[in-house]
Amino acid sequence: MFLPQRSPGQDWLGVVVAIPEPWVTQLTELRLNLGDLQGSMVPAHITILPPTPFPSGERPEVIRHLREVAKHHRPFRLTLKGSGSFRPISPVAFLNLDHGARECESLADEVRTGPLNIEQRFPYHPHVTLAQGLEDPVLDLAEDIGDTFEASWIVPGFRLDKVDERGMYSTMALFDFEAATL
């Protein structure tokens, strides 16, 4: 996992859509069985904002911003189906979002405004990582396995995570979508 440089007094903060049980456990076990030990510290999720350095003292501003973002969105169906890879740019095999990608993109666009309007390394592409940083045969296997995986659920909101220097994610705050359903 890439963690950008941070200065003293900064935390790495990330925004994610959680994957519920039983799929989060299945995907975590798959990642570990493929030899990607990062799976033990990073529960399977859909990244909205990757770990980004942010001043610790300004965390309340981030939380206020994310509460406001949650007010503009409503729960949506998300379906994981099919797989892909970012190779050769990045050694990552992932699950595709068959439904819900547009909603994740809209959420990411809004999250990445205000205090979180920070330049990112790559254009946004919603996905769930299956394996990262492994040899091509293992990434090929991850894609093959991913092609048979399917899961679907209603996304009720998102969360703010703090990421430590080892890459371990811990939840700081949950944000439920508040927009009225039509």
Side-chain angles (χ1 to χ4, degrees), residues 91-141:
V92 175
F94 58 82
L95 288 173
N96 290 312
L97 275 64
D98 190 52
H99 290 98
R102 188 183 75 236
E103 290 85 350
C104 286
E105 289 166 355
S106 173
L107 181 59
D109 286 347
E110 195 169 345
V111 162
R112 296 169 183 217
T113 63
L116 295 175
N117 185 12
I118 300 164
E119 187 173 334
Q120 299 297 312
R121 280 177 71 207
F122 298 111
Y124 183 67
H125 181 272
H127 66 279
V128 176
T129 299
L130 290 173
Q132 181 174 357
L134 302 174
E135 297 297 319
D136 281 338
V138 178
L139 295 175
D140 292 339
L141 176 60

Side-chain angles (χ1 to χ4, degrees), residues 8 23 32-33 37 44 49 55 72 77 80 83 100 107 123 127 141 144 159 165 170 173-174:
W23 304 294
L32 291 171
N33 287 338
L37 300 182
L49 178 77
H72 301 123
R77 175 155 301 280
L80 301 175
S83 63
L107 181 59
H127 66 279
L141 176 60
D144 289 345
R159 72 175 195 238
E165 59 281 340
S170 59
L174 300 173

Side-chain angles (χ1 to χ4, degrees), residues 4-91:
Q5 184 67 35
R6 68 177 177 164
S7 302
Q10 289 185 321
D11 292 321
W12 284 299
L13 302 180
V15 177
V16 304
V17 167
I19 296 174
E21 292 293 355
W23 304 294
V24 67
T25 296
Q26 291 172 9
L27 292 170
T28 297
E29 288 174 356
L30 172 59
R31 194 168 179 181
L32 291 171
N33 287 338
L34 288 167
D36 185 347
L37 300 182
Q38 190 66 33
S40 66
M41 294 186 282
V42 183
H45 64 274
I46 295 116
T47 299
I48 300 299
L49 178 77
T52 302
F54 200 82
S56 304
E58 296 178 26
R59 199 175 312 144
E61 181 182 352
V62 170
I63 291 172
R64 279 191 298 278
H65 171 66
L66 294 175
R67 278 192 190 124
E68 192 62 32
V69 168
K71 290 179 183 179
H72 301 123
H73 295 267
R74 63 178 185 231
F76 61 93
R77 175 155 301 280
L78 192 142
T79 302
L80 301 175
K81 185 177 181 181
S83 63
S85 175
F86 292 129
R87 293 179 284 174
I89 295 170
S90 182

